[in-house]
Amino acid sequence: CRAITGRESQVVSTEQTKEPGTGWTTLERPTTEGTQIYLPPFVEKYDSRDLNFAWLKVAATHQAAHLEYGSFDFSWERPAQRFPNLRHRQPAPQGRVDMQRFFNLFQDRRLAYDIFTAVEDSRVDWLLKHEYAGIRPIYQRAQEDALTGRRALRTLPLKEAMLEVLTLMSLTQTSAADFPTVLRPYFKAASAITRRLWASDTQVEDTAEATIRLYRLISRLPNRLLASNEWDGGAGD
């Protein structure tokens, strides 16, 4: 972890915290905890010792990559590279640190935080697999395995379904055909925004700008379950 990040970092057992993790590895902690890497004391996901060690390596690398690629170094003033800076077109909110100021932009802070977490994971995963080719095979294996046990989209209210879609974009390929008609325009717009983060010159401010746009998109959805006939028959036709 220190070799990847080029800075001091502390590895902490997940047994020392009761709070649930965030992100697809379920190990990351809230955005404010940017110096610690959480790992379980034992890994027994597979019958093979080599596969368990590979998963541990992926989990450590994924979290260390958040440090390397600046996930915790957000600056309100620093411009994004891939988006026009919408946050600079309105009065800067109050906050003790810049990341707090950013989340104070949103009426539904939890929704904004969940969007930010998902798309920052996606940005970091792309950079890591792009720049560290040696870990790519086991990283992709861990991501594919992370799909197991995730809730089916049709069992989720619409807003939660779109949040899950953002995670799926990082883990696997999805297409508009996977969704009912009512969600397809949202998926296409979310996909176009998220894919702009898959580039070597992106930084956390780009994720912030993507979050603003995705929040405006997802917050318009009613948070209700679709009936089976709406899902299968193409709701909104």
Side-chain angles (χ1 to χ4, degrees), residues 25-97:
T25 68
T26 73
L27 296 175
E28 298 99 321
R29 301 296 138 178
T31 308
T32 54
E33 298 188 26
T35 60
Q36 296 177 328
I37 292 170
Y38 289 86
L39 296 174
F42 301 98
V43 179
E44 297 176 323
K45 294 178 68 69
Y46 307 100
D47 294 332
S48 162
R49 181 183 183 277
D50 289 342
L51 287 177
N52 283 323
F53 179 71
W55 183 91
L56 192 68
K57 186 188 296 186
V58 167
T61 304
H62 175 78
Q63 293 182 76
H66 277 289
L67 300 177
E68 179 183 10
Y69 298 125
S71 293
F72 309 104
D73 299 329
F74 172 75
S75 168
W76 178 270
E77 300 300 334
R78 186 164 52 227
Q81 299 298 307
R82 310 284 293 184
F83 294 93
N85 294 280
L86 294 180
R87 69 187 186 281
H88 293 164
R89 299 178 185 177
Q90 51 194 313
Q94 297 297 311
R96 184 172 55 85
V97 296

Side-chain angles (χ1 to χ4, degrees), residues 19-23 26 28-32 99-100 102-119 159-160 162-164 166-167 211 214-215 218-219 223:
E19 293 186 16
T22 59
T26 73
E28 298 99 321
R29 301 296 138 178
T31 308
T32 54
M99 187 62 77
Q100 185 182 64
F102 173 71
F103 286 118
N104 283 343
L105 284 173
F106 305 96
Q107 182 176 4
D108 188 342
R109 288 172 56 92
R110 184 70 219 184
L111 176 61
Y113 176 78
D114 288 343
I115 293 170
F116 179 91
T117 298
V119 292
K159 283 183 181 178
E160 294 179 37
M162 280 303 302
L163 288 172
E164 180 66 7
L166 296 180
T167 299
T211 297
L214 290 166
Y215 179 90
I218 295 172
S219 63
N223 204 30

Side-chain angles (χ1 to χ4, degrees), residues 24 30 65 77 100 115 121 138 164 176 190 205-206 213 228 237:
W24 63 264
E77 300 300 334
Q100 185 182 64
I115 293 170
D121 259 7
I138 62 171
E164 180 66 7
E205 289 78 19
D206 291 287
R213 291 156 173 82
S228 296
D237 284 342

